[in-house]
Amino acid sequence: MSAIEWMLPLGSAERDGFDLVVDDRLPGWTHTGLRVATLAEGDRVQVPAGPWEYVVVPLAGSADVDATLADGSTRSAAMAGRTSVFAGPTDVVFAPAGSALSLTGTAPTSRIAVCAARVSGTGTAAFRHLLAVEVPVELRGAGIASRQVRNFGTPGVLEADAIIACEVITPAGNWSSYPPHKHDEERDGVETELEEIYYFECQVESAHDGRDLPAGADPVGYQRVYGTAERPIDVFAEVRTGDVVLVPHGWHGPAMAPPGYDLYYLNVMAGPGPVRAWLICDDPAHAWVRDTWPGQDVDPRLRAREEGES
């Protein structure tokens, strides 16, 4: 892939009735996948069975999930969802490897993401419907590096074989995925090799507090990915709602929310290693920034948002 192909603008990866499909049919991509579907009430899409486990995430609206597991048994869940990704955590559904899914929209308009990770052999994890109130919410960083992380699909929260998934809210004017870090080598106890997908949404900052939206506003964010001389990659992407940046390797960050625009991203990670863990290595040139956080307050907008979501 050329550098520009690691950025997938909205509409560039439509397939099979989905607005977006990222899977191993993309050159150089192996371990992770993502589908996004827009559904009217009663509309249905199918996700085929294969060597993939899934986490279903309502981005907006709600859906029913019907799963046929590898052993032929069935499971169902009615997902409550949410009005938008900026409205707070959502319930999610996990389906183990070998499951076929049927998703049915249950709101006037729903946008549903299906995160995927390749599993070697038979999956061992069980089907689960994780409720929104069960999703741990973490305030990470400090000052203008403050962000909110919703850890619905991370080790210790969701039992799975390979997938690691979470979502991040970065308030207007803040940086996240910072300091820049990487996870592209297997180093026991230090770093794990993980592909990563960033799916983005943006909104005008005032959209969550009831003020009128500015006419002609263009919510936007930015994402940086860079590599080494041995494994070069160079992405500096301007992103809007529905855009995707793929990180096959290399340092990634910051993800930047310009003043006036809140930034959301959904992360999907998995890799070939034997341990399901998110172990990262900061870019040594910028790692010192992390040491400045103890002397700074977390962005008060996130404190207020957390209290409103509790």
Side-chain angles (χ1 to χ4, degrees):
M1 276 192 174
S2 64
I4 193 64
E5 290 175 300
W6 297 121
M7 158 66 175
L8 301 176
L10 176 65
S12 65
E14 296 177 343
R15 188 189 302 153
D16 306 330
F18 289 85
D19 304 332
L20 167 75
V21 177
V22 174
D23 59 20
D24 58 356
R25 286 174 285 186
L26 293 175
W29 205 250
T30 304
H31 304 288
T32 57
L34 181 65
R35 297 169 184 250
V36 176
T38 300
L39 303 174
E41 189 168 6
D43 282 356
R44 180 174 297 178
V45 291
Q46 309 290 332
V47 180
W52 303 87
E53 60 185 8
Y54 300 115
V55 177
V56 184
V57 183
L59 301 171
S62 55
D64 289 342
V65 179
D66 296 298
T68 301
L69 308 190
D71 63 3
S73 64
T74 59
R75 301 288 188 277
S76 297
M79 307 184 71
R82 54 189 168 182
T83 56
S84 82
V85 295
F86 296 100
T90 182
D91 55 337
V92 303
V93 164
F94 171 81
S99 299
L101 304 182
S102 177
L103 311 178
T104 305
T106 56
T109 303
S110 298
R111 196 166 61 258
I112 310 298
V114 183
C115 312
R118 179 178 292 279
V119 174
S120 299
T122 303
T124 61
F127 181 92
R128 184 179 178 189
H129 183 188
L130 183 74
L131 301 179
V133 295
E134 300 176 283
V135 175
V137 177
E138 172 190 1
L139 299 184
R140 188 178 295 172
I144 62 170
S146 302
R147 58 272 203 186
Q148 181 196 79
V149 185
R150 303 166 183 161
N151 290 305
F152 57 77
T154 54
V157 176
L158 181 70
E159 184 178 346
D161 287 289
I163 198 165
I164 300 173
C166 65
E167 57 187 9
V168 180
I169 297 291
T170 308
N174 284 13
W175 291 26
S176 60
S177 283
Y178 196 77
H181 57 278
K182 73 178 184 73
H183 39 69
D184 58 10
E185 298 178 80
E186 285 293 329
R187 296 189 292 156
D188 189 29
V190 176
E191 186 178 354
T192 43
E193 182 181 353
L194 301 168
E195 284 181 345
E196 186 163 11
I197 299 170
Y198 279 74
Y199 165 86
F200 292 93
E201 296 202 10
C202 308
Q203 73 166 8
V204 173
E205 181 183 12
S206 59
H208 63 77
D209 65 13
R211 287 180 288 171
D212 292 336
L213 299 182
D218 181 20
V220 65
Y222 297 88
Q223 172 72 29
R224 181 76 171 110
V225 185
Y226 57 99
T228 63
E230 295 76 20
R231 301 183 73 187
I233 185 172
D234 187 4
V235 178
F236 187 17
E238 184 174 275
V239 296
R240 292 173 174 80
T241 293
D243 292 347
V244 166
V245 171
L246 303 177
V247 184
H249 59 82
W251 311 104
H252 44 288
M256 294 164 276
Y261 302 119
D262 295 330
L263 182 67
Y264 162 94
Y265 52 86
L266 171 64
N267 283 148
V268 186
M269 292 172 276
V275 178
R276 176 179 173 247
W278 184 66
L279 299 180
I280 67 170
C281 175
D282 288 338
D283 183 339
H286 306 295
W288 64 271
V289 174
R290 195 180 295 273
D291 297 331
T292 68
W293 292 348
Q296 302 179 55
D297 293 330
V298 172
D299 191 316
R301 293 173 295 177
L302 288 175
R303 294 287 188 199
R305 185 188 292 269
E306 184 183 39
E307 292 169 2
E309 293 171 359
S310 61

